[in-house]
Amino acid sequence: MLRLFVGIPMPEAVVERLSSLAHGLPGARWVPPENYHLTLRFLGEIDEGTAHDVDEALDLVTGPSFPLTLSGLGSFGSGHKQHALWAGLVDSDPLLHLQAKVESALVRSGQPPEQRKYSPHVTLAYLTDTPPAKLANYMGANGLFQAGPFTVDRYCLYESVLGKSGATYHILQEYPLGGWGV
Ligand code: 3AM
């Protein structure tokens, strides 16, 4: 079985900017810079035959390249239990368009439809028992973060290998954008 997701890698200059944020927050387990990505769709554990179908479906998704800008920081969780820190994005219709095309291609290939609303973000850290006041201080110091714009000219099928010290991601396939498809 393969644990797969579809995502967009960050260019090196953006990786550098994001990694400059990775300090000064108690209870944060920082994502290794080589793992920064924007998830389009989490697939979960699938067998090799199904992975082949997924790859064939994604191969048919075409579209233009587009600019993307990271902007602001946020966290997932409720109240005192925030569990992830992330960088947000300037609203991007081309990104939502790509995500919708990926989603419908995956459903056509037999994947169950995604139930959760798409909430684009780049995860920076997983949080455990981070004191709310420390998170507020961190947001105060870093919340105006901006990076880009950069050009999204491909998206990727990733394998996530879970290990004792966190996940390692491997790009299995790249799907170029920027052709004539819309
Ligand atoms: O984009 P991020 O880093 O937030 O949280 C996981 C990560 O998202 C998410 O898929 C990305 C690559 O692992 N993920 C992990 N398990 C998930 C699940 N069961 C999940 N997303 C949805 N459902």
Side-chain angles (χ1 to χ4, degrees), residues 3 5 37 39 42 116 121 123 126 169:
R3 182 181 169 86
F5 68 95
H37 66 277
T39 298
F42 180 75
R116 304 197 300 191
H121 62 274
T123 300
Y126 297 99
Y169 298 152

PDB file of all heavy atoms in Angstrom, residues 3 5 37 39 42 116 121 123 126 169, ligand 1:
ATOM      1  N   ARG A   3       0.822   5.479   0.754  1.00  0.00           N
ATOM      2  CA  ARG A   3       0.088   6.596   1.347  1.00  0.00           C
ATOM      3  C   ARG A   3       0.358   7.812   0.456  1.00  0.00           C
ATOM      4  O   ARG A   3       1.502   8.278   0.374  1.00  0.00           O
ATOM      5  CB  ARG A   3       0.605   6.811   2.763  1.00  0.00           C
ATOM      6  CG  ARG A   3      -0.064   7.901   3.539  1.00  0.00           C
ATOM      7  CD  ARG A   3       0.591   7.989   4.918  1.00  0.00           C
ATOM      8  NE  ARG A   3       0.178   9.170   5.630  1.00  0.00           N
ATOM      9  CZ  ARG A   3      -0.923   9.246   6.367  1.00  0.00           C
ATOM     10  NH1 ARG A   3      -1.694   8.196   6.512  1.00  0.00           N
ATOM     11  NH2 ARG A   3      -1.226  10.361   6.976  1.00  0.00           N
ATOM     12  N   PHE A   5      -0.661  11.649  -1.574  1.00  0.00           N
ATOM     13  CA  PHE A   5      -1.412  12.898  -1.665  1.00  0.00           C
ATOM     14  C   PHE A   5      -0.947  13.656  -2.892  1.00  0.00           C
ATOM     15  O   PHE A   5       0.114  13.367  -3.460  1.00  0.00           O
ATOM     16  CB  PHE A   5      -1.307  13.731  -0.382  1.00  0.00           C
ATOM     17  CG  PHE A   5       0.058  14.308  -0.070  1.00  0.00           C
ATOM     18  CD1 PHE A   5       0.394  15.598  -0.435  1.00  0.00           C
ATOM     19  CD2 PHE A   5       1.004  13.549   0.610  1.00  0.00           C
ATOM     20  CE1 PHE A   5       1.629  16.134  -0.129  1.00  0.00           C
ATOM     21  CE2 PHE A   5       2.256  14.075   0.922  1.00  0.00           C
ATOM     22  CZ  PHE A   5       2.565  15.375   0.547  1.00  0.00           C
ATOM     23  N   HIS A  37       4.886  21.980   1.343  1.00  0.00           N
ATOM     24  CA  HIS A  37       4.075  21.776   0.142  1.00  0.00           C
ATOM     25  C   HIS A  37       2.698  22.360   0.387  1.00  0.00           C
ATOM     26  O   HIS A  37       2.319  22.623   1.543  1.00  0.00           O
ATOM     27  CB  HIS A  37       3.916  20.269  -0.147  1.00  0.00           C
ATOM     28  CG  HIS A  37       3.119  19.605   0.923  1.00  0.00           C
ATOM     29  ND1 HIS A  37       3.678  19.186   2.113  1.00  0.00           N
ATOM     30  CD2 HIS A  37       1.791  19.369   1.033  1.00  0.00           C
ATOM     31  CE1 HIS A  37       2.727  18.701   2.896  1.00  0.00           C
ATOM     32  NE2 HIS A  37       1.567  18.801   2.266  1.00  0.00           N
ATOM     33  N   THR A  39      -1.033  21.132  -0.124  1.00  0.00           N
ATOM     34  CA  THR A  39      -1.823  19.948  -0.483  1.00  0.00           C
ATOM     35  C   THR A  39      -3.009  20.355  -1.355  1.00  0.00           C
ATOM     36  O   THR A  39      -3.722  21.317  -1.052  1.00  0.00           O
ATOM     37  CB  THR A  39      -2.344  19.244   0.791  1.00  0.00           C
ATOM     38  OG1 THR A  39      -1.229  18.807   1.573  1.00  0.00           O
ATOM     39  CG2 THR A  39      -3.189  18.029   0.441  1.00  0.00           C
ATOM     40  N   PHE A  42      -5.602  14.944  -0.280  1.00  0.00           N
ATOM     41  CA  PHE A  42      -5.029  13.791   0.420  1.00  0.00           C
ATOM     42  C   PHE A  42      -5.757  12.546  -0.068  1.00  0.00           C
ATOM     43  O   PHE A  42      -6.987  12.525  -0.144  1.00  0.00           O
ATOM     44  CB  PHE A  42      -5.205  13.961   1.932  1.00  0.00           C
ATOM     45  CG  PHE A  42      -4.642  12.830   2.732  1.00  0.00           C
ATOM     46  CD1 PHE A  42      -3.268  12.696   2.913  1.00  0.00           C
ATOM     47  CD2 PHE A  42      -5.477  11.889   3.309  1.00  0.00           C
ATOM     48  CE1 PHE A  42      -2.736  11.645   3.640  1.00  0.00           C
ATOM     49  CE2 PHE A  42      -4.954  10.838   4.050  1.00  0.00           C
ATOM     50  CZ  PHE A  42      -3.582  10.720   4.211  1.00  0.00           C
ATOM     51  N   ARG A 116     -14.353  17.243   2.951  1.00  0.00           N
ATOM     52  CA  ARG A 116     -14.021  18.484   3.667  1.00  0.00           C
ATOM     53  C   ARG A 116     -13.847  19.626   2.672  1.00  0.00           C
ATOM     54  O   ARG A 116     -13.370  19.435   1.556  1.00  0.00           O
ATOM     55  CB  ARG A 116     -12.724  18.296   4.453  1.00  0.00           C
ATOM     56  CG  ARG A 116     -12.816  17.097   5.405  1.00  0.00           C
ATOM     57  CD  ARG A 116     -11.772  17.107   6.475  1.00  0.00           C
ATOM     58  NE  ARG A 116     -10.408  17.082   5.968  1.00  0.00           N
ATOM     59  CZ  ARG A 116      -9.352  16.880   6.740  1.00  0.00           C
ATOM     60  NH1 ARG A 116      -9.503  16.695   8.035  1.00  0.00           N
ATOM     61  NH2 ARG A 116      -8.131  16.877   6.228  1.00  0.00           N
ATOM     62  N   HIS A 121      -3.313  25.792   2.383  1.00  0.00           N
ATOM     63  CA  HIS A 121      -2.345  26.268   3.375  1.00  0.00           C
ATOM     64  C   HIS A 121      -1.046  25.485   3.197  1.00  0.00           C
ATOM     65  O   HIS A 121      -1.050  24.398   2.607  1.00  0.00           O
ATOM     66  CB  HIS A 121      -2.881  26.044   4.797  1.00  0.00           C
ATOM     67  CG  HIS A 121      -3.087  24.599   5.097  1.00  0.00           C
ATOM     68  ND1 HIS A 121      -4.259  23.934   4.778  1.00  0.00           N
ATOM     69  CD2 HIS A 121      -2.256  23.657   5.620  1.00  0.00           C
ATOM     70  CE1 HIS A 121      -4.146  22.669   5.110  1.00  0.00           C
ATOM     71  NE2 HIS A 121      -2.934  22.462   5.611  1.00  0.00           N
ATOM     72  N   THR A 123       1.632  23.861   5.694  1.00  0.00           N
ATOM     73  CA  THR A 123       1.862  23.589   7.115  1.00  0.00           C
ATOM     74  C   THR A 123       3.320  23.861   7.468  1.00  0.00           C
ATOM     75  O   THR A 123       4.240  23.395   6.787  1.00  0.00           O
ATOM     76  CB  THR A 123       1.498  22.129   7.451  1.00  0.00           C
ATOM     77  OG1 THR A 123       0.113  21.940   7.147  1.00  0.00           O
ATOM     78  CG2 THR A 123       1.722  21.832   8.930  1.00  0.00           C
ATOM     79  N   TYR A 126       3.595  21.309  13.587  1.00  0.00           N
ATOM     80  CA  TYR A 126       2.537  20.664  14.356  1.00  0.00           C
ATOM     81  C   TYR A 126       2.739  21.082  15.806  1.00  0.00           C
ATOM     82  O   TYR A 126       3.880  21.124  16.292  1.00  0.00           O
ATOM     83  CB  TYR A 126       2.602  19.145  14.179  1.00  0.00           C
ATOM     84  CG  TYR A 126       2.366  18.772  12.733  1.00  0.00           C
ATOM     85  CD1 TYR A 126       3.432  18.485  11.882  1.00  0.00           C
ATOM     86  CD2 TYR A 126       1.085  18.795  12.199  1.00  0.00           C
ATOM     87  CE1 TYR A 126       3.224  18.206  10.540  1.00  0.00           C
ATOM     88  CE2 TYR A 126       0.861  18.515  10.851  1.00  0.00           C
ATOM     89  CZ  TYR A 126       1.939  18.221  10.043  1.00  0.00           C
ATOM     90  OH  TYR A 126       1.724  17.966   8.708  1.00  0.00           O
ATOM     91  N   TYR A 169       8.498  12.685   2.531  1.00  0.00           N
ATOM     92  CA  TYR A 169       7.708  12.767   1.308  1.00  0.00           C
ATOM     93  C   TYR A 169       8.593  12.507   0.087  1.00  0.00           C
ATOM     94  O   TYR A 169       9.722  13.004   0.019  1.00  0.00           O
ATOM     95  CB  TYR A 169       7.074  14.161   1.156  1.00  0.00           C
ATOM     96  CG  TYR A 169       6.114  14.531   2.274  1.00  0.00           C
ATOM     97  CD1 TYR A 169       5.922  15.865   2.612  1.00  0.00           C
ATOM     98  CD2 TYR A 169       5.405  13.568   2.965  1.00  0.00           C
ATOM     99  CE1 TYR A 169       5.037  16.221   3.620  1.00  0.00           C
ATOM    100  CE2 TYR A 169       4.520  13.915   3.977  1.00  0.00           C
ATOM    101  CZ  TYR A 169       4.345  15.238   4.301  1.00  0.00           C
ATOM    102  OH  TYR A 169       3.479  15.587   5.299  1.00  0.00           O
TER     103      TYR A 169
HETATM  104  O1  3AM B   1      -1.189  20.045   3.789  1.00  0.00           O
HETATM  105  P1  3AM B   1      -0.951  19.507   5.122  1.00  0.00           P
HETATM  106  O2  3AM B   1       0.501  19.400   5.492  1.00  0.00           O
HETATM  107  O3  3AM B   1      -1.786  20.144   6.185  1.00  0.00           O
HETATM  108  O4  3AM B   1      -2.109  16.771   7.279  1.00  0.00           O
HETATM  109  C1  3AM B   1      -1.628  16.022   6.176  1.00  0.00           C
HETATM  110  C2  3AM B   1      -0.858  16.856   5.209  1.00  0.00           C
HETATM  111  O5  3AM B   1      -1.557  18.040   5.034  1.00  0.00           O
HETATM  112  C3  3AM B   1      -2.792  15.597   5.335  1.00  0.00           C
HETATM  113  O6  3AM B   1      -2.227  15.336   4.071  1.00  0.00           O
HETATM  114  C4  3AM B   1      -1.036  16.088   3.901  1.00  0.00           C
HETATM  115  C5  3AM B   1       0.102  15.178   3.579  1.00  0.00           C
HETATM  116  O7  3AM B   1       0.238  14.196   4.562  1.00  0.00           O
HETATM  117  N1  3AM B   1      -3.469  14.437   5.867  1.00  0.00           N
HETATM  118  C6  3AM B   1      -2.937  13.420   6.551  1.00  0.00           C
HETATM  119  N2  3AM B   1      -3.897  12.541   6.896  1.00  0.00           N
HETATM  120  C7  3AM B   1      -5.063  13.029   6.425  1.00  0.00           C
HETATM  121  C8  3AM B   1      -6.405  12.584   6.443  1.00  0.00           C
HETATM  122  N3  3AM B   1      -6.751  11.436   7.028  1.00  0.00           N
HETATM  123  C9  3AM B   1      -4.787  14.255   5.781  1.00  0.00           C
HETATM  124  N4  3AM B   1      -5.739  14.983   5.193  1.00  0.00           N
HETATM  125  C10 3AM B   1      -6.992  14.495   5.253  1.00  0.00           C
HETATM  126  N5  3AM B   1      -7.325  13.344   5.853  1.00  0.00           N
END
